[in-house]
Amino acid sequence: MKIKHIVLASAMMVSFSTLAQKDELKGLKKIYEKQTLSDKDIVEYKATLVKAEPLMGAATESDKVYFDYYKAITPYLEMKLGMTKPENANNNQLAAKYFTPENIAGIAKNVNDVKDFEKKSGKAILTKSIDDALSLSKPSLVNYAVVLGNEKKYKEAASVLYSVYQMDKNDADKLFYAASFAVNGGDYDSALAYYYELKKINYTGETTLFWAMNKTSKQEETFNSKAERDLFIKSGSHEKPRDEKTTSKRGEIYKNIALILVEKGKVEEAKAAVAEARLANPDDTNLILTEADLYLKVKDFDTYTKLVNQALDNNPNNVDLVYNLGVIAANANKIEEAEKYYKRALQINPNYYNANFNLAELMLRADEKFVTEMNKLGTSEKDNKRYAALKADREKNFSALLPYLEKAYELQPDNEAAKKTLMSVYNALEMTDKYKALKAKQ
Protein backbone atom coordinates (compact mmCIF):
# COMPACT_ATOMS: atom_id res chain seq x y z
CA MET A 1 0.00 0.00 0.00
CA LYS A 2 2.81 2.38 0.85
CA ILE A 3 4.29 1.97 -2.62
CA LYS A 4 0.93 2.71 -4.24
CA HIS A 5 0.52 5.86 -2.12
CA ILE A 6 3.99 7.08 -3.19
CA VAL A 7 3.17 6.52 -6.88
CA LEU A 8 -0.15 8.29 -6.46
CA ALA A 9 1.53 11.22 -4.76
CA SER A 10 4.12 11.46 -7.56
CA ALA A 11 1.39 11.39 -10.16
CA MET A 12 -0.43 14.17 -8.36
CA MET A 13 2.78 16.25 -8.24
CA VAL A 14 3.29 15.84 -11.99
CA SER A 15 -0.32 16.80 -12.55
CA PHE A 16 0.02 19.95 -10.40
CA SER A 17 3.30 20.80 -12.18
CA THR A 18 1.63 20.45 -15.57
CA LEU A 19 -1.25 22.66 -14.51
CA ALA A 20 1.21 25.26 -13.23
CA GLN A 21 3.11 25.18 -16.53
CA LYS A 22 -0.09 25.78 -18.43
CA ASP A 23 -1.12 28.65 -16.15
CA GLU A 24 2.26 30.37 -16.45
CA LEU A 25 2.31 29.97 -20.24
CA LYS A 26 -1.22 31.38 -20.45
CA GLY A 27 -0.07 34.36 -18.39
CA LEU A 28 2.90 34.95 -20.68
CA LYS A 29 0.75 34.65 -23.79
CA LYS A 30 -1.80 37.10 -22.42
CA ILE A 31 0.83 39.81 -21.86
CA TYR A 32 2.64 38.99 -25.12
CA GLU A 33 -0.55 39.54 -27.13
CA LYS A 34 -1.40 42.92 -25.59
CA GLN A 35 -1.48 45.73 -28.10
CA THR A 36 -0.36 48.27 -25.49
CA LEU A 37 2.04 47.36 -22.71
CA SER A 38 2.74 48.99 -19.35
CA ASP A 39 5.72 48.89 -17.01
CA LYS A 40 3.64 46.68 -14.73
CA ASP A 41 3.09 44.21 -17.59
CA ILE A 42 6.84 43.86 -18.18
CA VAL A 43 7.51 43.31 -14.47
CA GLU A 44 4.77 40.66 -14.34
CA TYR A 45 6.04 39.04 -17.55
CA LYS A 46 9.58 38.67 -16.19
CA ALA A 47 8.32 37.36 -12.85
CA THR A 48 6.21 34.76 -14.65
CA LEU A 49 9.23 33.63 -16.65
CA VAL A 50 11.17 33.12 -13.41
CA LYS A 51 8.32 31.07 -11.89
CA ALA A 52 7.80 28.98 -15.02
CA GLU A 53 11.42 28.11 -15.77
CA PRO A 54 11.89 25.47 -13.02
CA LEU A 55 8.73 23.73 -14.22
CA MET A 56 10.01 23.26 -17.78
CA GLY A 57 12.04 20.13 -16.97
CA ALA A 58 8.93 17.93 -17.22
CA ALA A 59 7.22 20.02 -19.89
CA THR A 60 5.97 18.74 -23.24
CA GLU A 61 7.78 19.65 -26.46
CA SER A 62 5.07 22.18 -27.20
CA ASP A 63 5.38 23.96 -23.84
CA LYS A 64 9.19 24.04 -24.04
CA VAL A 65 9.12 25.56 -27.53
CA TYR A 66 6.66 28.28 -26.52
CA PHE A 67 8.37 29.02 -23.20
CA ASP A 68 11.78 29.42 -24.89
CA TYR A 69 10.20 31.79 -27.39
CA TYR A 70 8.47 33.88 -24.73
CA LYS A 71 11.74 34.12 -22.80
CA ALA A 72 13.80 35.09 -25.87
CA ILE A 73 11.29 37.73 -26.99
CA THR A 74 11.56 39.75 -23.75
CA PRO A 75 13.82 42.48 -25.25
CA TYR A 76 11.31 42.98 -28.05
CA LEU A 77 8.47 43.53 -25.56
CA GLU A 78 10.63 45.99 -23.64
CA MET A 79 11.37 47.89 -26.85
CA LYS A 80 7.69 47.81 -27.81
CA LEU A 81 6.91 49.50 -24.50
CA GLY A 82 9.84 51.91 -24.90
CA MET A 83 8.55 53.05 -28.27
CA THR A 84 5.39 54.39 -26.59
CA LYS A 85 7.28 56.60 -24.13
CA PRO A 86 7.61 60.33 -24.93
CA GLU A 87 11.35 60.42 -24.15
CA ASN A 88 11.94 57.90 -26.96
CA ALA A 89 9.79 59.62 -29.56
CA ASN A 90 12.71 60.68 -31.76
CA ASN A 91 15.18 57.98 -30.79
CA ASN A 92 16.07 56.13 -33.99
CA GLN A 93 18.64 54.02 -32.13
CA LEU A 94 16.21 52.54 -29.63
CA ALA A 95 17.11 48.97 -30.53
CA ALA A 96 20.62 49.43 -29.07
CA LYS A 97 18.98 50.06 -25.68
CA TYR A 98 17.27 46.69 -25.52
CA PHE A 99 19.04 44.36 -27.96
CA THR A 100 22.46 42.77 -28.27
CA PRO A 101 23.70 40.65 -31.18
CA GLU A 102 23.47 37.64 -28.86
CA ASN A 103 19.85 38.08 -27.80
CA ILE A 104 18.83 38.86 -31.39
CA ALA A 105 20.41 35.57 -32.45
CA GLY A 106 18.43 33.87 -29.66
CA ILE A 107 15.21 35.45 -30.89
CA ALA A 108 15.93 34.29 -34.45
CA LYS A 109 16.49 30.71 -33.29
CA ASN A 110 13.32 30.60 -31.24
CA VAL A 111 11.24 32.32 -33.89
CA ASN A 112 12.17 29.56 -36.31
CA ASP A 113 11.64 26.85 -33.69
CA VAL A 114 8.06 28.05 -33.13
CA LYS A 115 7.33 28.38 -36.84
CA ASP A 116 8.76 24.94 -37.57
CA PHE A 117 6.79 23.40 -34.70
CA GLU A 118 3.54 25.03 -35.80
CA LYS A 119 4.11 23.99 -39.38
CA LYS A 120 4.68 20.42 -38.22
CA SER A 121 1.68 20.43 -35.86
CA GLY A 122 -0.61 22.20 -38.30
CA LYS A 123 -1.68 24.70 -35.61
CA ALA A 124 -0.54 28.26 -36.36
CA ILE A 125 -0.97 29.73 -32.87
CA LEU A 126 1.79 32.37 -32.89
CA THR A 127 3.02 32.48 -36.49
CA LYS A 128 0.97 35.56 -37.45
CA SER A 129 1.92 37.47 -34.30
CA ILE A 130 5.58 36.60 -34.93
CA ASP A 131 5.35 38.02 -38.45
CA ASP A 132 3.68 41.15 -37.09
CA ALA A 133 6.38 41.55 -34.44
CA LEU A 134 9.11 41.17 -37.07
CA SER A 135 7.44 43.75 -39.28
CA LEU A 136 7.44 46.19 -36.36
CA SER A 137 10.98 45.55 -35.15
CA LYS A 138 12.87 44.81 -38.37
CA PRO A 139 13.64 48.47 -39.29
CA SER A 140 15.04 49.03 -35.78
CA LEU A 141 17.17 45.88 -35.98
CA VAL A 142 18.58 46.86 -39.36
CA ASN A 143 19.33 50.36 -38.11
CA TYR A 144 21.06 48.80 -35.09
CA ALA A 145 23.28 46.80 -37.47
CA VAL A 146 24.14 50.00 -39.36
CA VAL A 147 25.07 51.72 -36.09
CA LEU A 148 27.33 48.80 -35.17
CA GLY A 149 28.93 48.96 -38.60
CA ASN A 150 29.57 52.70 -38.24
CA GLU A 151 31.27 51.93 -34.94
CA LYS A 152 33.46 49.42 -36.81
CA LYS A 153 31.89 46.54 -34.86
CA TYR A 154 31.63 44.60 -38.09
CA LYS A 155 31.31 41.08 -36.67
CA GLU A 156 28.44 42.19 -34.43
CA ALA A 157 26.74 43.99 -37.33
CA ALA A 158 27.08 40.85 -39.45
CA SER A 159 25.52 38.75 -36.68
CA VAL A 160 22.50 41.06 -36.40
CA LEU A 161 21.84 41.11 -40.15
CA TYR A 162 22.24 37.34 -40.38
CA SER A 163 19.66 36.96 -37.59
CA VAL A 164 17.28 39.26 -39.47
CA TYR A 165 17.72 37.08 -42.54
CA GLN A 166 17.10 33.95 -40.46
CA MET A 167 13.76 35.41 -39.41
CA ASP A 168 12.84 36.48 -42.94
CA LYS A 169 14.38 34.24 -45.60
CA ASN A 170 12.67 36.31 -48.31
CA ASP A 171 15.03 39.20 -47.52
CA ALA A 172 18.30 37.81 -48.87
CA ASP A 173 19.72 41.33 -49.17
CA LYS A 174 20.35 41.17 -45.42
CA LEU A 175 22.38 37.98 -45.87
CA PHE A 176 24.49 39.66 -48.55
CA TYR A 177 25.27 42.64 -46.31
CA ALA A 178 25.92 40.31 -43.37
CA ALA A 179 28.59 38.64 -45.50
CA SER A 180 30.12 42.02 -46.37
CA PHE A 181 30.28 43.04 -42.71
CA ALA A 182 31.81 39.67 -41.81
CA VAL A 183 34.56 40.24 -44.40
CA ASN A 184 35.22 43.72 -42.99
CA GLY A 185 35.46 42.19 -39.51
CA GLY A 186 37.91 39.51 -40.63
CA ASP A 187 35.41 36.76 -39.80
CA TYR A 188 36.13 34.83 -42.98
CA ASP A 189 34.55 31.58 -41.82
CA SER A 190 31.15 33.26 -41.30
CA ALA A 191 31.52 35.29 -44.48
CA LEU A 192 32.25 32.16 -46.50
CA ALA A 193 29.22 30.38 -45.00
CA TYR A 194 27.00 33.36 -45.87
CA TYR A 195 28.34 33.57 -49.43
CA TYR A 196 27.83 29.85 -49.95
CA GLU A 197 24.22 30.26 -48.81
CA LEU A 198 23.78 33.16 -51.25
CA LYS A 199 25.17 30.95 -53.97
CA LYS A 200 22.85 28.11 -52.97
CA ILE A 201 19.72 30.29 -53.23
CA ASN A 202 21.02 31.78 -56.51
CA TYR A 203 20.92 35.33 -55.14
CA THR A 204 21.79 38.09 -57.63
CA GLY A 205 20.57 41.22 -55.83
CA GLU A 206 19.12 42.48 -59.11
CA THR A 207 16.12 44.71 -58.67
CA THR A 208 14.30 47.57 -60.36
CA LEU A 209 14.34 51.06 -58.86
CA PHE A 210 11.33 53.23 -59.62
CA TRP A 211 12.28 56.90 -59.95
CA ALA A 212 10.28 60.08 -60.53
CA MET A 213 11.04 63.81 -60.33
CA ASN A 214 9.53 65.76 -57.44
CA LYS A 215 8.08 68.89 -59.09
CA THR A 216 8.64 71.01 -56.00
CA SER A 217 12.19 70.06 -55.04
CA LYS A 218 13.29 69.22 -58.60
CA GLN A 219 15.00 66.14 -57.12
CA GLU A 220 14.54 62.54 -58.21
CA GLU A 221 13.01 60.21 -55.63
CA THR A 222 12.63 56.42 -55.48
CA PHE A 223 9.45 54.51 -54.69
CA ASN A 224 8.80 51.07 -53.24
CA SER A 225 6.90 49.92 -56.32
CA LYS A 226 5.72 51.02 -59.73
CA ALA A 227 2.16 51.21 -58.38
CA GLU A 228 3.22 53.59 -55.61
CA ARG A 229 5.09 55.80 -58.05
CA ASP A 230 2.14 55.84 -60.45
CA LEU A 231 -0.08 57.17 -57.65
CA PHE A 232 2.26 60.14 -57.11
CA ILE A 233 2.47 60.76 -60.86
CA LYS A 234 -1.31 60.68 -61.04
CA SER A 235 -1.64 63.10 -58.10
CA GLY A 236 0.48 65.60 -60.01
CA SER A 237 3.29 65.91 -57.44
CA HIS A 238 5.84 64.02 -59.55
CA GLU A 239 6.84 63.69 -63.20
CA LYS A 240 9.42 62.11 -65.52
CA PRO A 241 9.15 58.51 -64.31
CA ARG A 242 12.02 56.16 -65.14
CA ASP A 243 13.03 52.63 -64.22
CA GLU A 244 16.57 51.60 -63.34
CA LYS A 245 17.77 48.02 -63.12
CA THR A 246 20.54 47.41 -60.60
CA THR A 247 23.50 45.27 -61.60
CA SER A 248 23.91 41.66 -60.48
CA LYS A 249 25.94 40.98 -57.34
CA ARG A 250 26.67 37.41 -58.44
CA GLY A 251 30.17 38.32 -59.64
CA GLU A 252 31.01 39.98 -56.32
CA ILE A 253 29.77 36.92 -54.41
CA TYR A 254 31.95 34.51 -56.39
CA LYS A 255 34.86 36.94 -56.24
CA ASN A 256 34.68 37.08 -52.45
CA ILE A 257 34.31 33.31 -52.18
CA ALA A 258 37.44 32.94 -54.29
CA LEU A 259 39.43 35.59 -52.39
CA ILE A 260 38.53 34.10 -49.01
CA LEU A 261 39.53 30.64 -50.21
CA VAL A 262 42.84 32.05 -51.48
CA GLU A 263 43.33 33.77 -48.12
CA LYS A 264 42.80 30.40 -46.46
CA GLY A 265 45.35 28.80 -48.81
CA LYS A 266 42.71 26.91 -50.82
CA VAL A 267 43.69 28.18 -54.27
CA GLU A 268 42.43 25.17 -56.24
CA GLU A 269 39.04 25.35 -54.50
CA ALA A 270 38.90 29.04 -55.42
CA LYS A 271 39.62 28.29 -59.08
CA ALA A 272 37.00 25.53 -59.09
CA ALA A 273 34.37 27.83 -57.55
CA VAL A 274 34.88 30.52 -60.18
CA ALA A 275 35.09 27.99 -63.03
CA GLU A 276 31.74 26.56 -61.92
CA ALA A 277 30.20 30.01 -61.97
CA ARG A 278 31.65 30.80 -65.39
CA LEU A 279 30.32 27.52 -66.78
CA ALA A 280 26.79 28.47 -65.75
CA ASN A 281 27.17 32.10 -66.89
CA PRO A 282 29.83 32.21 -69.64
CA ASP A 283 28.99 35.72 -70.86
CA ASP A 284 28.70 37.38 -67.45
CA THR A 285 31.36 40.12 -67.53
CA ASN A 286 31.39 40.40 -63.73
CA LEU A 287 32.28 36.72 -63.44
CA ILE A 288 35.02 37.06 -66.07
CA LEU A 289 36.47 39.87 -63.96
CA THR A 290 36.10 37.75 -60.84
CA GLU A 291 38.16 35.01 -62.43
CA ALA A 292 40.68 37.57 -63.65
CA ASP A 293 41.05 39.03 -60.15
CA LEU A 294 41.67 35.55 -58.80
CA TYR A 295 44.52 34.92 -61.24
CA LEU A 296 45.92 38.37 -60.48
CA LYS A 297 45.85 37.47 -56.78
CA VAL A 298 47.88 34.30 -57.41
CA LYS A 299 50.19 36.21 -59.81
CA ASP A 300 49.26 34.23 -62.93
CA PHE A 301 49.58 37.31 -65.14
CA ASP A 302 49.24 35.50 -68.48
CA THR A 303 45.84 34.06 -67.57
CA TYR A 304 44.82 37.39 -66.02
CA THR A 305 45.70 39.26 -69.22
CA LYS A 306 43.80 36.74 -71.34
CA LEU A 307 40.68 37.06 -69.18
CA VAL A 308 40.82 40.86 -69.02
CA ASN A 309 41.04 41.06 -72.80
CA GLN A 310 38.01 38.77 -72.94
CA ALA A 311 36.18 41.16 -70.63
CA LEU A 312 37.28 44.11 -72.75
CA ASP A 313 35.66 42.48 -75.77
CA ASN A 314 32.37 42.92 -73.90
CA ASN A 315 33.22 46.33 -72.43
CA PRO A 316 36.05 48.02 -74.36
CA ASN A 317 35.77 51.28 -72.40
CA ASN A 318 36.39 49.83 -68.95
CA VAL A 319 39.25 52.16 -68.04
CA ASP A 320 40.27 50.25 -64.92
CA LEU A 321 40.81 47.06 -66.91
CA VAL A 322 42.85 48.83 -69.56
CA TYR A 323 44.96 50.53 -66.87
CA ASN A 324 45.55 47.22 -65.06
CA LEU A 325 46.87 45.69 -68.27
CA GLY A 326 49.32 48.59 -68.41
CA VAL A 327 50.49 47.91 -64.85
CA ILE A 328 51.04 44.22 -65.58
CA ALA A 329 52.97 44.99 -68.76
CA ALA A 330 55.08 47.58 -66.92
CA ASN A 331 55.87 45.13 -64.13
CA ALA A 332 56.97 42.64 -66.77
CA ASN A 333 59.19 45.39 -68.26
CA LYS A 334 57.18 45.36 -71.49
CA ILE A 335 57.55 49.11 -71.90
CA GLU A 336 55.94 49.63 -75.30
CA GLU A 337 52.95 47.46 -74.39
CA ALA A 338 52.49 49.25 -71.07
CA GLU A 339 52.68 52.65 -72.79
CA LYS A 340 50.02 51.53 -75.26
CA TYR A 341 47.60 50.55 -72.47
CA TYR A 342 48.23 53.70 -70.40
CA LYS A 343 47.58 55.91 -73.41
CA ARG A 344 44.46 53.94 -74.25
CA ALA A 345 43.24 54.44 -70.66
CA LEU A 346 43.80 58.20 -71.04
CA GLN A 347 41.84 58.23 -74.29
CA ILE A 348 38.91 56.81 -72.33
CA ASN A 349 39.42 59.10 -69.33
CA PRO A 350 42.02 61.89 -69.61
CA ASN A 351 41.58 62.65 -65.89
CA TYR A 352 42.67 59.21 -64.72
CA TYR A 353 45.41 60.09 -62.21
CA ASN A 354 47.14 56.71 -62.03
CA ALA A 355 47.42 56.39 -65.81
CA ASN A 356 48.92 59.89 -66.10
CA PHE A 357 51.42 59.35 -63.30
CA ASN A 358 52.37 55.80 -64.30
CA LEU A 359 52.87 56.80 -67.92
CA ALA A 360 55.23 59.57 -66.80
CA GLU A 361 57.06 57.12 -64.53
CA LEU A 362 57.33 54.62 -67.38
CA MET A 363 58.91 57.22 -69.67
CA LEU A 364 61.26 58.29 -66.86
CA ARG A 365 62.78 54.80 -66.80
CA ALA A 366 64.79 55.74 -69.90
CA ASP A 367 66.55 58.45 -67.90
CA GLU A 368 68.79 55.95 -66.12
CA LYS A 369 70.17 54.77 -69.45
CA PHE A 370 70.89 58.35 -70.57
CA VAL A 371 72.58 59.32 -67.30
CA THR A 372 74.66 56.13 -67.12
CA GLU A 373 76.08 56.59 -70.62
CA MET A 374 76.62 60.34 -70.17
CA ASN A 375 78.63 59.75 -66.99
CA LYS A 376 80.93 57.26 -68.75
CA LEU A 377 81.93 59.68 -71.50
CA GLY A 378 85.26 61.43 -71.55
CA THR A 379 86.23 64.89 -72.85
CA SER A 380 87.22 64.05 -76.42
CA GLU A 381 85.50 65.80 -79.34
CA LYS A 382 83.69 62.54 -80.18
CA ASP A 383 82.56 62.09 -76.59
CA ASN A 384 81.42 65.69 -76.38
CA LYS A 385 79.26 65.23 -79.51
CA ARG A 386 77.79 62.05 -78.04
CA TYR A 387 77.16 63.84 -74.75
CA ALA A 388 75.32 66.66 -76.54
CA ALA A 389 73.17 64.14 -78.49
CA LEU A 390 72.30 62.24 -75.30
CA LYS A 391 71.50 65.48 -73.48
CA ALA A 392 69.14 66.48 -76.29
CA ASP A 393 67.44 63.06 -76.27
CA ARG A 394 67.11 63.23 -72.50
CA GLU A 395 65.50 66.67 -72.62
CA LYS A 396 63.22 65.50 -75.43
CA ASN A 397 62.08 62.60 -73.24
CA PHE A 398 61.47 64.97 -70.31
CA SER A 399 59.45 67.28 -72.55
CA ALA A 400 57.37 64.32 -73.80
CA LEU A 401 56.46 63.06 -70.32
CA LEU A 402 55.96 66.51 -68.78
CA PRO A 403 52.30 66.94 -69.83
CA TYR A 404 51.35 63.65 -68.13
CA LEU A 405 53.21 64.57 -64.97
CA GLU A 406 51.69 68.06 -64.88
CA LYS A 407 48.23 66.57 -65.37
CA ALA A 408 48.83 64.13 -62.51
CA TYR A 409 49.86 67.00 -60.24
CA GLU A 410 46.83 69.03 -61.34
CA LEU A 411 44.54 66.12 -60.43
CA GLN A 412 46.19 65.45 -57.07
CA PRO A 413 48.14 68.54 -55.95
CA ASP A 414 48.68 67.08 -52.47
CA ASN A 415 50.37 63.97 -53.81
CA GLU A 416 54.01 64.21 -52.71
CA ALA A 417 55.28 61.71 -55.29
CA ALA A 418 53.78 63.69 -58.18
CA LYS A 419 55.03 67.01 -56.76
CA LYS A 420 58.63 65.88 -56.15
CA THR A 421 58.91 64.14 -59.54
CA LEU A 422 57.55 67.22 -61.31
CA MET A 423 60.05 69.46 -59.50
CA SER A 424 62.90 67.18 -60.59
CA VAL A 425 61.81 67.38 -64.23
CA TYR A 426 61.43 71.18 -64.07
CA ASN A 427 64.93 71.37 -62.63
CA ALA A 428 66.38 69.06 -65.31
CA LEU A 429 64.76 71.17 -68.05
CA GLU A 430 66.04 74.35 -66.39
CA MET A 431 62.46 75.60 -66.03
CA THR A 432 63.55 77.73 -63.09
CA ASP A 433 60.40 79.81 -62.62
CA LYS A 434 58.12 76.77 -62.53
CA TYR A 435 60.54 74.94 -60.25
CA LYS A 436 60.62 77.83 -57.75
CA ALA A 437 56.84 78.28 -57.84
CA LEU A 438 56.27 74.60 -57.07
CA LYS A 439 58.96 74.53 -54.38
CA ALA A 440 57.30 77.50 -52.67
CA LYS A 441 54.16 75.39 -52.21
CA GLN A 442 55.99 72.80 -50.08
Side-chain angles (χ1 to χ4, degrees):
M1 286 294 293
K2 287 183 180 179
I3 293 175
K4 288 183 180 178
H5 281 303
I6 292 171
V7 172
L8 180 60
S10 298
M12 288 174 66
M13 287 174 66
V14 171
S15 177
F16 288 139
S17 175
T18 303
L19 288 172
Q21 289 167 17
K22 299 295 184 186
D23 286 343
E24 308 302 352
L25 287 172
K26 284 179 183 178
L28 292 170
K29 186 172 185 290
K30 182 179 178 182
I31 297 172
Y32 167 81
E33 291 180 340
K34 281 190 173 185
Q35 291 297 314
T36 305
L37 293 167
S38 66
D39 289 315
K40 182 181 176 182
D41 289 328
I42 297 298
V43 171
E44 183 182 344
Y45 189 88
K46 289 182 175 180
T48 305
L49 285 171
V50 171
K51 284 192 290 182
E53 190 152 21
L55 306 174
M56 287 298 120
T60 62
E61 179 188 1
S62 171
D63 288 350
K64 285 180 179 178
V65 166
Y66 287 115
F67 173 79
D68 288 344
Y69 172 75
Y70 288 134
K71 183 179 179 181
I73 208 72
T74 304
Y76 162 74
L77 296 179
E78 291 179 308
M79 188 184 78
K80 185 178 176 182
L81 170 61
M83 291 170 73
T84 66
K85 296 191 173 183
E87 64 267 27
N88 293 323
N90 297 314
N91 187 353
N92 62 357
Q93 296 183 14
L94 196 59
K97 187 174 179 180
Y98 301 102
F99 290 114
T100 65
E102 293 76 19
N103 66 32
I104 295 171
I107 291 171
K109 176 187 179 303
N110 286 287
V111 159
N112 286 318
D113 285 349
V114 170
K115 284 189 166 185
D116 290 344
F117 179 79
E118 292 192 348
K119 187 176 181 180
K120 182 175 67 175
S121 68
K123 296 178 181 178
I125 299 170
L126 291 185
T127 295
K128 185 181 183 305
S129 68
I130 287 173
D131 291 339
D132 291 342
L134 180 60
S135 179
L136 177 67
S137 60
K138 186 175 177 180
S140 296
L141 295 177
V142 172
N143 185 65
Y144 177 41
V146 172
V147 169
L148 289 170
N150 290 339
E151 293 174 351
K152 299 190 180 339
K153 296 177 180 177
Y154 300 122
K155 292 171 78 170
E156 293 86 348
S159 174
V160 171
L161 288 180
Y162 182 66
S163 295
V164 171
Y165 166 71
Q166 289 290 93
M167 290 185 277
D168 181 7
K169 292 291 184 71
N170 292 319
D171 191 356
D173 287 342
K174 301 303 179 289
L175 178 60
F176 176 80
Y177 291 114
S180 298
F181 273 130
V183 168
N184 290 339
D187 185 3
Y188 296 124
D189 288 338
S190 293
L192 195 58
Y194 300 160
Y195 283 128
Y196 275 138
E197 188 161 353
L198 288 163
K199 175 187 167 186
K200 182 180 177 182
I201 63 176
N202 199 30
Y203 172 82
T204 66
E206 291 175 303
T207 188
T208 301
L209 301 177
F210 301 100
W211 295 86
M213 178 79 73
N214 185 310
K215 290 182 179 179
T216 303
S217 68
K218 302 301 180 185
Q219 298 292 320
E220 275 197 313
E221 297 172 351
T222 56
F223 297 85
N224 294 322
S225 66
K226 182 178 182 300
E228 182 185 31
R229 181 188 62 191
D230 289 348
L231 285 174
F232 281 83
I233 296 288
K234 191 174 181 180
S235 73
S237 64
H238 289 70
E239 62 181 354
K240 299 178 182 178
R242 70 177 180 88
D243 297 349
E244 178 187 346
K245 286 192 174 181
T246 61
T247 56
S248 171
K249 294 183 175 70
R250 185 186 284 114
E252 184 178 348
I253 291 167
Y254 279 96
K255 174 183 176 180
N256 287 334
I257 287 174
L259 292 180
I260 291 171
L261 288 171
V262 169
E263 186 73 24
K264 294 167 78 69
K266 300 178 179 179
V267 175
E268 294 308 314
E269 281 188 44
K271 290 179 180 178
V274 177
E276 178 191 352
R278 287 288 316 281
L279 193 62
N281 307 274
D283 299 322
D284 189 323
T285 300
N286 287 329
L287 288 176
I288 297 173
L289 296 179
T290 293
E291 189 170 19
D293 282 344
L294 169 61
Y295 282 95
L296 180 61
K297 182 81 172 177
V298 299
K299 298 183 179 179
D300 183 344
F301 300 125
D302 289 340
T303 304
Y304 172 82
T305 301
K306 175 185 173 184
L307 288 164
V308 166
N309 278 309
Q310 187 179 341
L312 282 171
D313 288 341
N314 297 340
N315 186 3
N317 291 323
N318 188 319
V319 68
D320 293 323
L321 294 182
V322 175
Y323 166 76
N324 284 345
L325 287 176
V327 171
I328 289 170
N331 288 339
N333 212 32
K334 297 177 181 178
I335 305 301
E336 290 184 6
E337 188 176 336
E339 185 175 339
K340 178 189 73 174
Y341 284 124
Y342 287 146
K343 286 183 175 179
R344 183 176 165 192
L346 291 174
Q347 285 178 342
I348 299 169
N349 180 7
N351 294 323
Y352 199 117
Y353 169 82
N354 286 337
N356 277 290
F357 185 78
N358 279 23
L359 180 54
E361 183 276 330
L362 191 74
M363 296 170 74
L364 267 174
R365 292 186 189 185
D367 197 53
E368 183 180 356
K369 181 183 69 174
F370 291 133
V371 171
T372 299
E373 186 176 351
M374 289 167 74
N375 287 337
K376 288 180 178 179
L377 294 172
T379 55
S380 67
E381 184 179 351
K382 181 181 178 182
D383 283 352
N384 286 338
K385 284 183 178 180
R386 179 60 182 160
Y387 186 92
L390 287 170
K391 185 173 182 292
D393 286 344
R394 186 182 185 222
E395 289 177 353
K396 183 178 178 182
N397 186 52
F398 281 142
S399 296
L401 67 86
L402 187 59
Y404 302 112
L405 199 52
E406 287 180 325
K407 184 65 175 179
Y409 175 70
E410 176 192 326
L411 292 168
Q412 292 190 16
D414 295 329
N415 189 297
E416 285 299 317
K419 188 185 294 184
K420 287 180 179 179
T421 308
L422 183 56
M423 285 175 60
S424 296
V425 172
Y426 281 153
N427 191 44
L429 289 172
E430 298 179 359
M431 300 172 71
T432 308
D433 290 343
K434 287 193 173 185
Y435 173 82
K436 288 181 177 178
L438 194 56
K439 188 174 178 61
K441 293 180 181 180
Q442 283 188 311

